[in-house]
Amino acid sequence: MTSIQISSAFDSGNIEVLSTQGTTARLKIRRDHCSDFFQWFHFRVSGAPGRSIAGEELVLKITGLNASAYPMGWPEYRACASEDRQFWGRAETSWDGSEDGGTLTIRHTPEGELAWFAYFAPYTMERHHDLISSLSGLEDVDYRLLGTTLDGRPLDCLSMGEGEAQVWLYARQHPGESMAEWWMEGALEVLADPADSVGRELRKRCRFHVVPNMNPDGSARGHLRTNAAGVNLNREWETPSAEKSPEVLAILAAMDETGVDFAMDIHGDEAIPAVFMAGFEGIPSLKAEQKQGYDRYTAILERRTPDFQTKLGYPITRPGKGNLTMSTNQLAERFGAVSMTLEMPFKDHDEAADPRQGWSPERSAQLGKDCMGALLEWFVERERK
């Protein structure tokens, strides 16, 4: 007999229940619609009718993970858990690649009657709408609807600043990388606050265009990596289409109107336990000053915060072999921009590890603020040359 009830019928929810016995459940993750990608999970556990889970150990086994998008992400990973949906800590978690096609076992003893579990702390569409509405009403912050998604959701953009440099910040091309929108909260807290000295100086130098969530359909559906059509948006930047990738088509059209001088694409990485950057070294028209600008920014950021490093990361692409379907490469090639992909971990930033939370929403938001401080220093140094 089961003692628990498991549900994922809510914004960004994703899990399928295979069986339950007592307070133990065998689960699997639903694939992205029209896609083989799966890794994101988000569900809640309560007592079955008439039963309580308070003080009872939950044993939650997510199976079949050897076939997931990034099976190398499961070793040393710890699931996120919350009982109030405000603070997300890390649950006791173990990985066994030989059990039931690869099994992640989560153990948690709740204090109360409800517990939520997720691949990373969710950033819900309701919170997204709260963010947009709270900032769009501010003086000197302009709201623009860039377009609509395949599911009919708005693609929101906030713009601010009166400077000449055109700066684009965008996140959640891959919707399961929810730390990216937490980063956006931190960055926007700096940029939209008239009392923030860093934001004030940046707005003098730049015109910012901020897209906190490029993939609201995938976010709401509980996808890892794709939109409503099962398309990976970060492979659509060379030839986006209204049928498959209207999100990229809309934002690229807006970028063509303004031009792009500096751009950051915000992501999360499953396997590497560190915050790192990926650049555009392989684009056909690479200019020395572009690469120098990228290297200077990463050096500034590494000096400013222990939550960033340059030793771990992706292999550098060979000259002329850059994938122009990816946004960072496309923007560097198309506009001559200094563009970059910021990656945050699903695990932890091991150089400054946090045993209680691992990498967290709070650290993501702080990194957004740190990145804006680094950007101001980057512009000031450029002015002095």
Side-chain angles (χ1 to χ4, degrees), residues 54-76:
E56 298 287 334
E57 185 185 50
L58 306 175
V59 182
L60 309 168
K61 291 180 171 289
I62 305 179
T63 64
L65 296 179
N66 288 335
S68 62
Y70 301 98
M72 60 286 208
W74 300 118
E76 309 303 322

Side-chain angles (χ1 to χ4, degrees), residues 140 160-163 186-208 304 368-369 371-377:
D140 300 326
M160 61 216 74
E162 58 278 358
L188 284 165
E189 188 174 333
V190 172
L191 295 175
D193 184 355
D196 190 290
S197 58
V198 171
R200 189 166 58 245
E201 290 301 317
L202 280 170
R203 292 191 302 274
K204 288 178 183 177
R205 293 166 169 84
C206 309
R207 179 67 173 171
F208 284 87
R304 291 182 69 100
K369 297 176 184 180
C371 285
M372 295 304 97
L375 185 58
L376 176 58
E377 185 173 340

Side-chain angles (χ1 to χ4, degrees), residues 218-229:
S219 302
R221 285 169 173 255
H223 284 190
L224 171 74
R225 200 165 173 84
T226 67
N227 69 357

Side-chain angles (χ1 to χ4, degrees), residues 30-45:
R30 185 181 66 249
R31 295 175 187 269
D32 290 7
H33 179 64
C34 295
S35 168
D36 287 333
F37 287 115
F38 72 95
Q39 193 117 356
W40 169 266
F41 61 88
H42 180 201
F43 59 92
R44 58 167 250 176
V45 182

Side-chain angles (χ1 to χ4, degrees), residues 29-297:
I29 300 173
R30 185 181 66 249
R31 295 175 187 269
D32 290 7
H33 179 64
C34 295
S35 168
D36 287 333
F37 287 115
F38 72 95
Q39 193 117 356
W40 169 266
F41 61 88
H42 180 201
F43 59 92
R44 58 167 250 176
V45 182
S46 66
R51 294 181 176 272
S52 171
I53 60 170
E56 298 287 334
E57 185 185 50
L58 306 175
V59 182
L60 309 168
K61 291 180 171 289
I62 305 179
T63 64
L65 296 179
N66 288 335
S68 62
Y70 301 98
M72 60 286 208
W74 300 118
E76 309 303 322
Y77 166 79
R78 292 182 296 145
C80 295
S82 177
E83 294 190 30
D84 61 6
R85 299 204 302 166
Q86 300 298 314
F87 175 82
W88 287 85
R90 298 284 175 153
E92 179 187 341
T93 308
S94 59
W95 165 251
D96 186 344
S98 65
E99 179 186 348
D100 211 354
T103 295
L104 190 79
T105 300
I106 305 167
R107 297 178 182 272
H108 179 71
T109 303
E111 296 180 0
E113 300 297 342
L114 289 168
W116 279 262
F117 300 90
Y119 190 37
F120 192 80
Y123 197 102
T124 66
M125 288 308 302
E126 280 303 305
R127 190 178 184 103
H128 168 85
H129 292 310
D130 287 343
L131 176 69
I132 296 297
S133 62
S134 66
L135 295 178
S136 62
L138 296 179
E139 187 177 359
D140 300 326
V141 177
D142 300 319
Y143 170 80
R144 180 180 178 184
L145 176 66
L146 297 182
T148 54
T149 67
L150 293 170
D151 283 345
R153 291 186 173 87
L155 190 61
D156 299 317
C157 180
L158 298 169
S159 297
M160 61 216 74
E162 58 278 358
E164 292 185 3
Q166 300 293 323
V167 176
W168 281 83
L169 309 174
Y170 53 103
R172 294 191 83 178
Q173 292 201 73
H174 299 149
E177 296 165 13
S178 55
M179 61 280 288
E181 200 158 1
W182 290 109
W183 183 99
M184 281 290 180
E185 266 203 17
L188 284 165
E189 188 174 333
V190 172
L191 295 175
D193 184 355
D196 190 290
S197 58
V198 171
R200 189 166 58 245
E201 290 301 317
L202 280 170
R203 292 191 302 274
K204 288 178 183 177
R205 293 166 169 84
C206 309
R207 179 67 173 171
F208 284 87
H209 311 276
V210 184
V211 183
N213 189 335
M214 271 197 65
N215 196 340
D217 289 353
S219 302
R221 285 169 173 255
H223 284 190
L224 171 74
R225 200 165 173 84
T226 67
N227 69 357
V231 170
N232 177 356
L233 295 183
N234 203 27
R235 298 299 184 274
E236 290 287 306
W237 285 76
E238 193 166 30
T239 54
S241 71
E243 295 74 26
K244 292 171 53 182
S245 49
E247 303 89 347
V248 177
L249 191 66
I251 191 173
L252 195 53
M255 289 174 168
D256 283 337
E257 290 177 8
T258 65
V260 183
D261 296 304
F262 187 98
M264 293 186 74
D265 179 18
I266 314 302
H267 284 260
D269 183 85
E270 287 77 8
I272 299 176
V275 179
F276 61 96
M277 206 78 79
F280 49 87
E281 294 85 354
I283 65 170
S285 66
L286 181 65
K287 301 176 182 65
E289 58 269 25
Q290 270 180 296
K291 182 61 167 59
Q292 290 164 4
Y294 170 83
D295 290 342
R296 189 161 55 83
Y297 183 83

Side-chain angles (χ1 to χ4, degrees), residues 288-339:
E289 58 269 25
Q290 270 180 296
K291 182 61 167 59
Q292 290 164 4
Y294 170 83
D295 290 342
R296 189 161 55 83
Y297 183 83
T298 58
I300 292 170
L301 186 60
E302 187 172 32
R303 176 174 50 76
R304 291 182 69 100
T305 173
D307 274 350
F308 179 76
Q309 57 80 56
T310 56
K311 294 186 290 294
L312 299 177
Y314 300 145
I316 294 176
T317 306
R318 290 177 295 163
K321 299 297 183 180
N323 184 350
L324 296 182
T325 69
M326 300 174 69
S327 67
T328 288
N329 289 329
Q330 179 63 219
L331 299 185
E333 178 71 15
R334 190 184 192 104
F335 299 105
V338 174
S339 57

